[in-house]
Amino acid sequence: MSSHHPAADALHLQSVVDAHASLPGALLPMLHAIQDEFGHVPDQAVPVIARSLNLSRAEVHGVITFYHHFRNHAPGRHVVQVCRAEACQAVGAVALEAHAKKCLGIDFHETTADGAVTLEAVYCLGNCAVGPSLRIDDDIVGRVTPEGFDEIIAELRAEVTA
């Protein structure tokens, strides 16, 4: 969430929560909507959600931490997901994953020090025939080698400095 208009952010957060509160099984759709809107589920959302759905803060926090998809910190400028499904593992995803972590100097669910890249695991991008696959923001890329990964990261970082 932006820090320059905290009151507006609180109102915006409340409006997203209110828009989903009456849905059956509202918690997951609400969390997805918040993350889609803000890029993550900020800590200040937990009491708002809990109050809205008559849940404890611990229950809400438990769901957020159970599902690896949800982030509680703003992601980097780009989110890179490495497919860890069996089909991709069979064609080199394990080595690609190790290379990605070493290249970026981070583990899954972390962001590079320059704020450029958040690294995440994903379990099947539906691109099984051309693995190993990555999703970079909204784009899926297949047959990614360690060298190809390095080129992708260089391009992502160049966008910021260009």
Side-chain angles (χ1 to χ4, degrees):
M1 293 178 62
S2 60
S3 56
H4 54 284
H5 293 299
D9 290 342
L11 290 172
H12 190 181
L13 175 64
Q14 187 67 55
S15 72
V16 174
V17 168
D18 291 346
H20 293 82
S22 63
L23 295 174
L27 181 55
L28 286 175
M30 189 180 288
L31 291 171
H32 281 288
I34 291 168
Q35 183 156 299
D36 289 347
E37 192 68 27
F38 298 100
H40 66 295
V41 180
D43 291 338
Q44 59 264 43
V46 173
V48 176
I49 295 166
R51 213 171 23 252
S52 171
L53 298 178
N54 198 26
L55 297 170
S56 71
R57 291 179 186 199
E59 288 171 308
V60 174
H61 179 74
V63 171
I64 294 168
T65 57
F66 178 79
Y67 292 101
H68 292 291
H69 171 76
F70 298 118
R71 295 182 288 267
N72 61 358
H73 294 90
R77 291 181 294 277
H78 300 282
V79 176
V80 174
Q81 295 178 315
V82 179
C83 183
R84 300 190 73 204
E86 290 80 3
C88 281
Q89 285 187 9
V91 292
V94 174
L96 180 61
E97 173 187 327
H99 177 80
K101 290 176 180 181
K102 183 177 178 190
C103 169
L104 297 171
I106 57 174
D107 202 345
F108 286 132
H109 313 295
E110 294 179 352
T111 300
T112 55
D114 63 1
V117 177
T118 296
L119 185 64
E120 295 182 344
V122 66
Y123 294 88
C124 198
L125 293 167
N127 207 32
C128 307
V130 292
S133 296
L134 299 177
R135 178 169 38 212
I136 299 110
D137 301 322
D138 294 324
D139 298 323
I140 296 175
V141 181
R143 293 196 173 98
V144 181
T145 62
E147 297 77 21
F149 182 86
D150 293 347
E151 290 173 18
I152 290 166
I153 297 303
E155 288 174 20
L156 294 179
R157 287 190 161 139
E159 287 176 14
V160 176
T161 58

